[in-house]
Amino acid sequence: MTYRVRRQCRPGRAHASSEPRSPGASGPEAQARRGRADPTSRALRVRPPPRPSPAAAAGPAARHEERSPFPTASIPAREGFGVDQLRDDNLETYWQSDGSQPHLVNIQFRRKTTVKTLCIYADYKSDESYTPSKISVRVGNNFHNLQEIRQLELVEPSGWIHVPLTDTHKKPIRTFMIQIAVLANHQNGRDTHMRQIKVYTPVEESSIGKFPRCTTVDFMMYRSIR
């Protein structure tokens, strides 16, 4: 049998007890449960962390600037006659501009590319006043340092127009960008038509070895891999 020992305390002093105290039996929380919370004490409020915004949760926005697909038009095109028609290998379709002159078609490459020839298909019989009569060809690294290398005067063209892309030494040009500017149309037309645009690079011969041309039927049967 155990006995509790309690001593008489003087007035004004808290009495001591040999009874063990359980954890959490004292303090503001215990007093609050007994209805005797200290009015001078303040409960610590833990604020939940702010919710991240959708932009912050997704991380920093990607700033990779992809170069525009080849080619692009800097002036709005008429609906259904966009720049995709310049590469569809169909001479019956065309790109039509929709704005004031000059009309620009920008061709951009992902890396510096060696180019040799620019080909434009025009047909005056089909396009009439929409046919370009004056074209400027410019090259450069970006929009801020374009330089004109050719200016063409066209008189009722019908077919492919070949524009050499060479420097003053007659060597192919290395560039990031080609810009085709239509400065004027036939019959003072406002908008313009372009049916096809193609860019060619120089053909490099293989250094492995050169083989003679096949002239007989027996050799021509095996000149390509099937």
Side-chain angles (χ1 to χ4, degrees), residues 137-166:
V137 180
R138 307 156 185 174
V139 296
N141 294 332
N142 49 56
F143 290 95
H144 304 290
N145 62 353
L146 292 173
Q147 296 181 354
E148 183 180 80
I149 59 171
R150 294 286 185 275
Q151 189 171 118
L152 308 176
E153 296 283 348
L154 308 177
V155 180
E156 300 184 2
S158 178
W160 287 100
I161 303 165
H162 299 270
V163 183
L165 303 177
T166 55

Side-chain angles (χ1 to χ4, degrees), residues 181-222:
V182 179
L183 306 179
N185 293 324
H186 284 74
Q187 304 175 15
N188 295 324
R190 177 188 176 188
D191 291 319
T192 190
H193 286 180
M194 280 195 183
R195 294 184 174 268
Q196 290 291 300
I197 294 177
K198 294 185 181 295
V199 179
Y200 293 94
T201 60
V203 178
E204 298 180 359
E205 296 183 357
S206 175
S207 60
I208 299 177
K210 298 181 180 180
F211 299 94
R213 296 185 60 183
C214 302
T215 56
T216 63
V217 177
D218 295 336
F219 279 98
M220 291 177 65
M221 294 172 59
Y222 302 97

Side-chain angles (χ1 to χ4, degrees), residues 35-110:
R36 294 179 298 174
D38 185 2
T40 61
S41 63
R42 292 185 179 179
L44 180 61
R45 296 182 180 179
V46 180
R47 295 184 179 179
R51 294 184 179 180
S53 61
R63 298 178 182 239
H64 304 292
E65 295 184 358
E66 287 289 339
R67 290 190 176 270
S68 302
F70 157 72
T72 61
S74 60
I75 291 181
R78 181 182 172 186
E79 185 178 358
F81 301 90
V83 293
D84 292 338
Q85 277 65 44
L86 295 175
R87 303 182 59 197
D88 60 1
D89 292 326
N90 186 356
L91 300 180
E92 300 300 325
T93 61
Y94 52 85
W95 165 73
Q96 177 175 326
S97 64
D98 186 12
S100 58
Q101 293 177 352
H103 308 300
L104 307 178
V105 175
N106 302 312
I107 304 170
Q108 296 178 277
F109 305 98
R110 296 182 182 275

